[in-house]
């Protein structure tokens, strides 16, 4: 494969080979490059017929057929490029760009291109709401994807997307509280919620023979919900549940409170910036015990910043990475497209799948109206139906145009939305061994529901 091939070129070649030389897909005009996606876009949402408010009222004749207004379909990305979760913003946006190129190379939903406008949520609820308001009220986006922090996601949903009737996609937030939002079925997420993580944390501690544990959690919707689920699940004694605020220079008071009754282990629900500081101070203070870390802490940066000798023997929980061809192809394409990217996040493949499933639902609905699209989100992603996978958006459109049901799955695995708009994934127990995260055990999702 030529080194100077674009991502869209590779997608076209793969599609040509699948179709055995059938008619070529539409050219990729107007794909966003990384600089455009990161703040240099124009207000393309102003071209929509009805900015905000559910993405406009237009409906294309002929159901899922092509045509339509020809105006771009704009998705707003409200994700963090600053704050405690800033590491995740760029790799999520990279994956969205890959989805945009895939979708547009195949002609787009309803014969229209997808565009992405992005705004920085700053890992802060106020900034996140302001970012989402700009995307909806000023840019007139047809849907919003974001955020990462569950607290920010909930604030955006309650203050912006739900009141405005705008479809809300999420690929990273994991709080169980999101499942029970009164969202008029507007919020869909491709990330498993944290009730699974909390239950696996409890199982790890029990399997280690520990009788007592404390929960240390970031004091927001994500942390509180995980702590509550852990306490209700753990069969031993929960000696303390200690909340903390992100961004502190010292967590000595938090650690003193957590270890006041000498728990055998700590279940930690927090983010890398704060978690790195806390683990370093725990080590320096000689508190003892062992830790089980939330998924967000399982990065090489955490190991390098805290030290392998400190983390060796600690446990973690994460969603089981898919192992199919779709995942391998996506990771290979990502590394080829972004060879200098500092971080690859699992939220990348979730972000790709969120955008592709949305685009397929738009085509099935024959409209960008959020009420119409939400009615098709499960139709295109849940069984029954012909399988549609990574790089096969054009195939999905062709099947829909032929009146055939489809079942989309992608690099994040199956995208089967339940009644709450959630997906379920198998979980993996991870241990730090010789400075690396090693998978120890896979726990099926059906054991954790």
């Amino acid at each position: 494969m030529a080194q100077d091939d674009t991502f869209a070129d590779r997608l076209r070649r793969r599609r040509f080979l699948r179709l055995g030389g059938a008619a070529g897909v539409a050219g990729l005009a107007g794909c966003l490059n990384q600089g455009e996606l990161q703040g240099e876009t124009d207000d393309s949402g102003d071209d929509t017929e009805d900015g905000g408010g559910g993405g406009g009222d237009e409906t294309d004749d002929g159901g899922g057929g092509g045509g339509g207004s020809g105006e771009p379909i704009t998705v707003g990305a409200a994700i963090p490029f600053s704050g405690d979760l800033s590491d995740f913003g760029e790799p999520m946006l990279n994956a969205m760009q890959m989805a945009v190129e895939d979708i547009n190379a195949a002609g787009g939903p309803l014969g229209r291109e997808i565009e992405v406008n992005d705004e920085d949520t700053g890992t802060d609820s106020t900034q996140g709401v302001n970012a989402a308001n700009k995307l909806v009220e000023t840019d007139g986006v047809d849907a919003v994807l974001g955020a990462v922090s569950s607290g920010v996601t909930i604030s955006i949903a309650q203050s912006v997307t739900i009141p405005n009737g705008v479809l809300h996609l999420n690929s990273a937030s994991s709080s169980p509280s999101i499942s029970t939002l009164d969202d008029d079925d507007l919020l869909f997420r491709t990330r498993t919620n944290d009730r699974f993580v909390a239950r696996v944390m409890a199982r790890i501690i029990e399997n280690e023979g520990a009788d007592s544990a404390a929960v240390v959690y970031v004091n927001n919707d994500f942390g509180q919900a995980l702590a509550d689920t852990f306490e209700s699940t753990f069969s031993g004694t929960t000696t303390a549940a200690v909340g903390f605020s992100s961004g502190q220079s010292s967590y000595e008071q938090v650690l003193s409170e957590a270890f006041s009754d000498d728990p055998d282990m700590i279940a930690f629900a927090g983010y890398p910036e704060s978690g790195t500081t806390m683990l370093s101070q725990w080590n320096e203070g000689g508190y003892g015990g062992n830790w089980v870390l939330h998924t967000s802490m399982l990065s090489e940066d955490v190991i390098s910043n805290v030290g392998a000798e400190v983390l060796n023997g600690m446990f973690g929980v994460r969603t089981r990475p898919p192992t199919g061809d779709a995942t391998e192809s996506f990771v290979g394409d990502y590394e080829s497209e972004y060879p200098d990217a500092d971080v690859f996040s699992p939220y990348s493949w979730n972000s790709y799948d969120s955008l592709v499933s949305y685009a397929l639902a738009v085509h099935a609905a024959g409209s960008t109206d959020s009420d119409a699209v939400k009615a098709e989100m499960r139709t295109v992603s849940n069984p029954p139906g012909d399988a549609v996978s990574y790089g096969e958006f054009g195939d999905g459109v062709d099947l829909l145009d032929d009146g055939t049901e489809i079942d989309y799955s992608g690099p994040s695995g199956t995208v089967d939305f339940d009644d709450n708009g959630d997906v379920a994934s198998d979980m993996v127990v991870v241990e730090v061994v010789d400075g690396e995260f090693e998978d120890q055990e896979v726990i099926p999702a059906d054991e954790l529901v």
Side-chain angles (χ1 to χ4, degrees), residues 422-446:
D422 286 343
V423 299
S425 301
D426 297 343
M427 306 303 294
V428 179
V429 176
V430 174
E431 184 177 4
V432 182
V433 178
D434 295 330
E436 295 183 354
F437 295 109
E438 290 190 2
D439 294 351
Q440 302 297 318
E441 179 187 2
V442 175
I443 301 177
D446 56 14

Side-chain angles (χ1 to χ4, degrees), residues 223-247:
Q224 183 64 63
L226 187 143
D228 291 345
T229 303
F230 177 87
E231 287 191 76
S232 66
T233 302
F234 181 49
S235 62
T237 301
T238 302
T239 59
V242 186
F244 66 90
S245 298
S246 295

Side-chain angles (χ1 to χ4, degrees), residues 84-85 123 149 201 214-227 240-259 266-282 291-294 296-297:
D84 213 358
L85 292 171
T123 322
S149 162
M201 283 180 158
V215 190
V216 177
Y217 62 93
V218 60
N219 200 8
N220 60 17
D221 293 280
F222 145 66
Q224 183 64 63
L226 187 143
V242 186
F244 66 90
S245 298
S246 295
Q248 299 180 40
S249 60
S250 174
Y251 289 101
E252 295 292 348
Q253 181 61 41
V254 172
L255 290 166
S256 295
E257 187 175 348
F259 283 92
I266 298 287
F268 179 77
Y271 306 134
E273 182 179 316
S274 303
T276 296
T277 301
M278 195 177 301
L279 286 170
S280 297
Q281 292 175 354
W282 164 81
W291 295 64
V292 180
L293 306 175
H294 183 267
S296 62
M297 291 290 292

Side-chain angles (χ1 to χ4, degrees), residues 362-414:
V362 167
H363 195 80
S367 171
T368 57
D369 177 74
S370 287
D371 283 337
V373 177
K374 74 182 185 183
E376 301 295 340
M377 288 291 290
R378 295 178 184 85
T379 303
V380 300
S381 295
N382 293 17
D386 284 11
V388 175
S389 189
Y390 172 62
E392 296 178 354
F393 176 81
D395 292 346
V397 164
D398 291 343
L399 289 166
L400 290 171
D401 288 347
D402 289 340
T404 303
E405 291 184 332
I406 65 170
D407 176 9
Y408 173 73
S409 60
S412 71
T414 58

Side-chain angles (χ1 to χ4, degrees), residues 12 32 45 47 53 61 86 95 154 167-169 179 184 188 205 210 236 266 284 302 315 356 364 374 385 400-401:
R12 287 194 191 93
L32 304 178
D47 293 331
D61 293 336
S86 58
I154 291 170
L167 195 72
H168 189 161
L169 314 167
S179 302
D184 194 26
F188 292 81
I205 293 171
I266 298 287
E284 293 165 0
V302 170
F315 295 93
V356 172
K374 74 182 185 183
L400 290 171
D401 288 347

